Amino acid sequence: LQPLREPPRGPDSLRDEIHRVPLPAVKIRPGIAADLETVTQLCAALWPDEPIEHKAHVASILSGKPASTMALVIMVAEVDADVVGFIEVGLRSHADGCDERHPVGFIEGWYVKPKHQRRAVGRALMVAAEEWARSQGARELASDTWIDHDVSQRAHEALGFEVVDRCVHFRKSLT
């Protein structure tokens, strides 16, 4: 008898091994007032350097009274009754690379706790956002991310988004 040998372990073998692990049951639902603290924490993890008050922003959306003139919602992902991610999707009158004759769905924020990433939770949130945008009459869905955020760019591309522009924004104070 010959000893059993382990199969070669290259970059694809780990990915294949991960995909053999059963995925958890993910429930996507509209955010509710009881989600305020958790979604606020998830926003802070996504945007740690943003100056906005996350809690007030999330509360306004969850109450159905966002600061936007166009529709804006938050959906959450639950695994074992624990909120592990969110997606904030709204309508915009236009977005770069989209048909300007129609409103467009826009992903304002999308985050999944690291422990649950690469487990189809983000995909489930995006599918829900697409369905919501379609229900609002949108024909396209747009999003953006930081130019140096490779993980986010790959996630978007894996879900069918295409890059339409890359730019650097400037500002100059006039006071």
Side-chain angles (χ1 to χ4, degrees):
L1 292 174
Q2 293 186 342
L4 294 174
R5 291 186 305 164
E6 289 220 5
R9 298 196 58 90
D12 291 335
S13 65
L14 180 58
R15 182 175 45 243
D16 293 342
E17 192 173 303
I18 289 169
H19 289 292
R20 281 194 296 262
V21 175
L23 296 176
V26 178
K27 177 183 176 185
I28 307 299
R29 62 170 176 76
I32 58 174
D35 298 321
L36 178 60
E37 294 302 324
T38 303
V39 175
T40 298
Q41 291 170 1
L42 296 172
C43 286
L46 176 61
W47 298 300
D49 300 324
E50 293 289 316
I52 68 165
E53 169 53 41
H54 297 297
K55 190 171 190 174
H57 174 75
V58 172
S60 72
I61 297 169
L62 295 178
S63 71
K65 300 173 187 167
S68 172
T69 58
M70 298 187 85
L72 183 65
V73 298
I74 290 175
M75 289 179 235
V76 298
E78 287 184 340
V79 173
D80 297 327
D82 181 30
V83 174
V84 300
F86 82 97
I87 196 161
E88 180 181 329
V89 59
L91 290 181
R92 288 191 178 183
S93 60
H94 64 282
D96 290 341
C98 295
D99 186 341
E100 295 178 4
R101 297 172 295 172
H102 304 282
V104 60
F106 196 89
I107 304 303
E108 303 292 347
W110 177 36
Y111 183 80
V112 175
K113 290 180 180 179
K115 174 182 171 184
H116 297 278
Q117 292 174 4
R118 300 188 54 82
R119 308 282 305 192
V121 175
R123 178 180 298 276
L125 284 163
M126 190 61 72
V127 167
E130 291 170 6
E131 291 171 358
W132 179 87
R134 270 190 212 96
S135 77
Q136 302 296 306
R139 297 179 178 190
E140 295 174 288
L141 186 64
S143 185
D144 59 16
T145 191
W146 298 278
I147 201 161
D148 62 346
H149 201 301
D150 295 332
V151 171
S152 179
Q153 290 177 39
R154 286 193 309 270
H156 280 82
E157 290 169 356
L159 294 177
F161 284 87
E162 59 188 54
V163 175
V164 296
D165 192 17
R166 294 187 184 272
C167 68
V168 176
H169 299 271
F170 294 93
R171 81 173 277 286
K172 179 180 180 180
S173 176
L174 298 177
T175 58

